[in-house]
Amino acid sequence: MSLGLFNLTGQRALVTGSSQGIGLALARGLKEAGASVVLNGRDEAKLTAAAEQVGEGCAMLPFDVTDHQAAREAIDAFEADSGAIDILVNNAGMQFRGPLEEFPADAFERLLRTNISSVFNVGQAVARHMIGRGKGKIVNIASVQTALARPSIAPYTATKGAVGNLTKGMATDWAKYGLQCNAIAPGYFDTPLNAALVADPDFTTWLEKRTPAGRWGNVEELVGACIFLASDASSFVNGHILYVDGGITVSL
């Protein structure tokens, strides 16, 4: 097998929520694999700083992924003005922790909009163009919570379970049009979203004992999985959820 299968030269990748954390790391990795990268977020100042890290040729497409109409208008305009989006990484997400019996309803709704509605909104907008071209790659960012639950994050767990199943639905509906739709499910990574947990020595001790690899993941360790799912190397992989978790989902 040729390593050229992993070469993304000539491809354009849109990464949502890419001003920091996992999204930024994946954007950098896709660019290193040859893709031109389009960053997305709502804060243009943060996007500009992220674009400087990604490097020359990086584009920015600021819009609110939770707004269906805004997402569609932004994608349609970009496709008309700049050309095809060949790869979509649906990474935008948020966390809110609290006991389920006291969980605020408005926080639950924000989690739904940010973690699952965004995947539908941007996925549908991009897929409409991919279907017309007969090819495309969609990589959704799920979570170890797609398969497992932990106290205080039941609504987040629900949204990530939904991301996993929406990924399967995308593959089922769109594979016939030449699209491959898959998900990466990260375990526990040292990111801004997990800052409170990283700062908690008791949680880190628990995590190190619970995870066979014995440590937090580094965001760069997600890049290889993303390149695989975004490249020709995964041409017959569809509806798959790839866990990158140090073994936490396979051990008791």
Side-chain angles (χ1 to χ4, degrees), residues 185-198:
Y188 285 90
F189 282 75
D190 186 350
T191 68
L193 198 67
N194 284 330
L197 298 181
V198 174

Side-chain angles (χ1 to χ4, degrees), residues 96-161:
F96 188 97
R97 298 178 176 88
L100 184 58
E101 67 274 14
E102 299 173 4
F103 206 90
D106 61 337
F108 182 74
E109 293 296 329
R110 287 200 306 274
L111 279 168
L112 291 176
R113 291 195 302 271
T114 305
N115 292 359
I116 185 63
S117 294
S118 67
V119 177
F120 168 77
N121 293 341
V122 186
Q124 183 189 68
V126 172
R128 290 174 185 268
H129 296 278
M130 290 177 169
I131 288 169
R133 292 188 288 268
K135 61 180 181 178
K137 298 280 190 173
I138 297 178
V139 181
N140 299 323
I141 303 303
S143 168
V144 68
Q145 266 75 49
T146 300
L148 302 174
R150 190 175 65 78
S152 81
I153 58 167
Y156 178 85
T157 302
T159 64
K160 289 303 184 177

Side-chain angles (χ1 to χ4, degrees), residues 12 14 61 72-87 125-131 133 135:
R12 181 182 285 113
L14 168 64
L61 187 59
R72 183 166 181 181
E73 289 176 358
I75 296 300
D76 288 351
F78 185 89
E79 287 258 350
D81 295 340
S82 302
I85 295 170
D86 307 290
I87 301 160
V126 172
R128 290 174 185 268
H129 296 278
M130 290 177 169
I131 288 169
R133 292 188 288 268
K135 61 180 181 178

